[in-house]
Amino acid sequence: MIDDAALFPPGSASMPDAVRRHLEARAGGTAGVLGLFLCPASRLSELITELIKAKPIRPVALSLVIDTGLGGVPKAVSIVESRSELLALRMVEMPAPSDLDEVWLERVSEFVPEDVIRVIEPRRGGPGWLESVRRVAEHGSWPKLRCGGQTMEAFPGADQVADFLAVASTTGLPFKATAGMHHAVRYTDEETGFTHHGFLNLIVATARSLSGKDVREALLSTDAEALVNEAEALGDEAATAVRSVFASYGSCSLTEPVEDLEQLGLL
């Protein structure tokens, strides 16, 4: 569930540290929670250099984050595929342009191999944002929801997240979340004053969206016990349905989410 975004702010780990920690986590007792390793396309050469040194037992499952523009996708994909002993390309993520249209989406489909998940982040907050979310899914890509960042504006309100879930839970494709969700339960960072969404809140909110219940209340809750009880009460079928919608999220820390899950008795 937790994709490894150690290279990204606010963690901003060095490549050697990020690779070492990822390989350690992959070999550890909580490896089942760990998802893909996220790497910007502009830093692929660094990643390959470190993996050559580390000599992983099996290729690292990679999500390639495109920071070089859509035109840079074919070259980046080619580089990854040429190092199949080190990397296994599973996902390609990129921001959508402000003028998202069919032509751009078709080019994404052409540039990314069919067996690789495409994740596209429409620009949040504009009048056509939710329609763009739906359009992304209609083209076979996962929409991405950014849940935080380095500024207050980067954090969506509960109403915006609820609106996103209302659309994303009906497309037939999963969505991915990213940024800001360092802990399981909603909290306010004392240093920055930013209120962060919790990934457990988002799990419960997704379940409620699928069952027609109050999504906003789940997103705003800081009652860890109530959220745990609601998550644990999901049957196998409901839990599978939730994860088929909320597939994964990127976190710059692997230890904090795992520690929260252990303390809450969920892992």
Side-chain angles (χ1 to χ4, degrees):
M1 179 176 186
I2 306 168
D3 286 344
D4 187 350
L7 295 174
F8 295 83
S12 303
S14 67
M15 188 65 74
D17 284 346
V19 168
R20 175 179 53 80
R21 291 171 189 165
H22 183 82
L23 295 179
E24 288 174 353
R26 195 171 69 164
T30 55
V33 179
L34 180 62
L36 308 177
F37 183 85
L38 274 60
C39 181
S42 62
R43 300 187 66 182
L44 262 180
S45 60
E46 288 181 70
L47 174 59
I48 290 170
T49 297
E50 289 305 317
L51 288 176
I52 290 172
K53 296 176 186 176
K55 299 181 175 65
I57 297 172
R58 64 183 186 279
V60 169
L62 177 70
S63 178
L64 187 61
V65 181
I66 303 301
D67 61 345
T68 54
L70 182 58
V73 173
K75 180 180 178 181
V77 169
S78 177
I79 291 172
V80 174
E81 292 181 337
S82 72
R83 303 311 301 252
S84 58
E85 77 283 8
L86 299 173
L87 293 166
L89 185 61
R90 297 285 181 260
M91 181 180 287
V92 173
E93 307 180 43
M94 66 191 81
S98 56
D99 56 343
L100 178 65
D101 58 20
E102 302 293 320
V103 174
W104 189 89
L105 288 166
E106 286 296 336
R107 290 187 70 197
V108 173
S109 300
E110 292 171 7
F111 290 165
V112 179
E114 288 185 5
D115 60 345
V116 174
I117 297 166
R118 305 184 300 272
V119 179
I120 297 174
E121 180 185 349
R123 297 194 179 188
R124 173 171 51 79
W129 171 51
L130 295 175
E131 180 55 36
S132 293
V133 169
R134 190 179 301 281
R135 189 178 302 128
V136 164
E138 288 173 350
H139 267 261
S141 299
W142 294 9
K144 181 195 278 189
L145 173 65
R146 184 165 297 275
C147 293
Q150 302 299 294
T151 64
M152 183 72 77
E153 293 72 27
F155 291 80
D159 288 340
Q160 284 187 313
V161 178
D163 289 344
F164 176 90
L165 288 176
V167 174
S169 61
T170 63
T171 65
L173 282 179
F175 75 87
K176 178 173 183 176
T178 189
M181 291 193 295
H182 304 151
H183 292 285
V185 178
R186 181 181 178 89
Y187 74 100
T188 299
D189 187 306
E190 294 181 357
E191 291 186 9
T192 64
F194 299 162
T195 298
H196 293 246
H197 294 283
F199 63 84
L200 181 57
N201 293 78
L202 193 54
I203 289 172
V204 172
T206 302
R208 289 192 181 190
S209 183
L210 291 170
S211 58
K213 297 178 182 177
D214 190 337
V215 172
R216 190 173 183 275
E217 180 189 54
L219 292 169
L220 292 173
S221 175
T222 56
D223 187 338
E225 183 178 359
L227 290 168
V228 168
N229 290 340
E230 190 165 344
E232 288 185 324
L234 294 173
D236 289 346
E237 186 175 346
T240 299
V242 168
R243 290 306 308 282
S244 70
V245 175
F246 177 22
S248 64
Y249 81 98
S251 174
C252 64
S253 169
L254 296 177
T255 55
E256 289 174 345
V258 167
E259 287 172 355
D260 278 12
L261 289 171
E262 290 175 337
Q263 289 171 5
L264 295 171
L266 290 172
L267 188 64

